[in-house]
Amino acid sequence: MTFLETIAHIVDLVPVLLRVTTPILLAALGVHISQKAGVLNLGVEGMMLAAALAGVLASAASGSAWVGLAGALATGAVLGFLLSFAIHVLKADLILSGIALNMLAAAGTTLVLYMLTGDKGMSGSLSSGVLPSLAIPLIADIPVLGRLLSGHHVLTYLAFAMVPVVAVLMMRTPFGIRLRAVGESAEAAATAGIDVARMQIAALVLSGLLAGAAGAFLSMGYVSWFSQNMSGGRGFVALAADLMGYGSAWGTMAASLLLGAADAFVISLQGKGIPSELLQSLPYIVPIVALVIHARARRKRFVRI
């Protein structure tokens, strides 16, 4: 392969990388916000799945993909609120509540789809919309650069635009400072007059909103249908991305790109004679290896301290 062919191949892979990274990054930023508040959103997988179905249903009912997006966002936010309700009002365990939400979404979305449409496993009878891609004026006409920066999905641009927004929100605003104070020590924050429950509820609702956007991308990004368990473990990958991000939104983005690159690499290997079982396992092997390396690095740093 010549140098120019290599460059062309890399340029062709960039849209694939951004596409597979988008839902991971959106969900991981949501996890990042909740983690900062001390209420790690373990139900992000279920939120993504429920939002993906809600988006398709709302889009099909209204005839508008944007209404579908609003339905997905609302579903994620409501589930975030219900998770916080279970924790703060019903005094349920955070971890068990998140796991229960994931299990409920996995079975509940299939049941709801069947009850409303008669479809089993896939929304084949629904005519839902697809959210658009955006061409950036002037840049789109530039060779190579236009391919890299223009023509991506609207939620892809949203995902990467949210990185500096979340970074500033967490580090430079009174809301973010109070949120981090709650996550560091809820007792000390309460003593300082911060409403701990309110801050954690807000964090989970924001986390649910971003998970809802991730779910909308799955079912209305490049396809116009919902299928059973279409989140495919991306919520758990997002949890790994946040942990690998060393507590920052920019680190979370870098980790999401790394994990997305594993997915893109698998896609590029399809049809090369490699067993499909091995290809399907690679996107999950990479975060496991990365988390092991991350844990060892943290242990060495603490030992030096």
Side-chain angles (χ1 to χ4, degrees):
M1 182 179 294
T2 66
F3 176 75
L4 290 178
E5 289 175 337
T6 302
I7 295 298
H9 182 64
I10 293 174
V11 170
D12 289 339
L13 281 179
V14 168
V16 178
L17 170 62
L18 296 180
R19 183 174 74 244
V20 298
T21 299
T22 296
I24 297 173
L25 178 56
L26 284 168
L29 289 173
V31 172
H32 175 71
I33 293 173
S34 67
Q35 185 269 338
K36 287 295 186 183
V39 280
L40 185 63
N41 184 6
L42 293 176
V44 64
E45 176 84 4
M47 293 178 183
M48 291 173 64
L49 193 58
L53 174 60
V56 167
L57 293 175
S59 175
S62 65
S64 169
W66 294 107
V67 173
L69 174 61
L73 294 175
T75 298
V78 168
L79 289 177
F81 178 79
L82 290 178
L83 182 58
S84 64
F85 180 83
I87 296 166
H88 291 102
V89 178
L90 302 180
K91 304 301 180 183
D93 181 78
L94 173 63
I95 296 175
L96 294 180
S97 298
I99 294 173
L101 177 57
N102 292 332
M103 296 175 65
L104 177 63
T109 50
T110 302
L111 176 63
V112 169
L113 179 65
Y114 178 72
M115 291 177 62
L116 294 180
T117 68
D119 293 328
K120 294 182 178 180
M122 184 175 176
S123 59
S125 64
L126 296 178
S127 178
S128 58
V130 178
L131 292 165
S133 297
L134 298 179
I136 303 176
L138 300 180
I139 293 179
D141 299 326
I142 301 175
V144 181
L145 188 63
R147 175 75 169 156
L148 293 175
L149 300 181
S150 180
H152 303 299
H153 195 271
V154 61
L155 290 180
T156 297
Y157 290 112
L158 174 65
F160 286 92
M162 285 302 299
V163 175
V165 171
V166 171
V168 171
L169 179 69
M170 291 292 102
M171 304 303 296
R172 303 295 183 182
T173 66
F175 173 82
I177 293 171
R178 289 194 294 268
L179 200 71
R180 290 189 291 116
V182 169
E184 290 290 336
S185 174
E187 295 80 6
T191 302
I194 299 174
D195 191 328
V196 173
R198 181 177 296 179
M199 296 305 298
Q200 291 183 336
I201 290 171
L204 284 173
V205 169
L206 288 175
S207 182
L209 272 172
L210 288 168
F217 181 83
L218 295 178
S219 60
M220 297 189 299
Y222 291 90
V223 300
S224 59
W225 40 262
F226 171 85
S227 65
Q228 185 178 20
N229 294 324
M230 73 182 309
S231 53
R234 290 178 179 86
F236 300 112
V237 174
L239 286 165
D242 175 63
L243 180 59
M244 293 162 55
Y246 285 97
S248 76
W250 294 103
T252 298
M253 182 190 72
S256 298
L257 283 168
L258 173 64
L259 298 175
D263 263 342
F265 181 66
V266 168
I267 293 173
S268 70
L269 290 179
Q270 290 179 354
K272 304 293 186 181
I274 300 175
S276 61
E277 294 80 6
L278 176 60
L279 291 178
Q280 292 171 2
S281 66
L282 279 178
Y284 305 101
I285 293 174
V286 171
I288 292 173
V289 174
L291 287 174
V292 170
I293 296 172
H294 169 81
R296 289 178 64 86
R298 289 190 61 182
R299 186 179 305 138
K300 289 180 180 179
R301 188 170 72 251
F302 289 140
V303 168
R304 285 197 299 269
I305 293 175

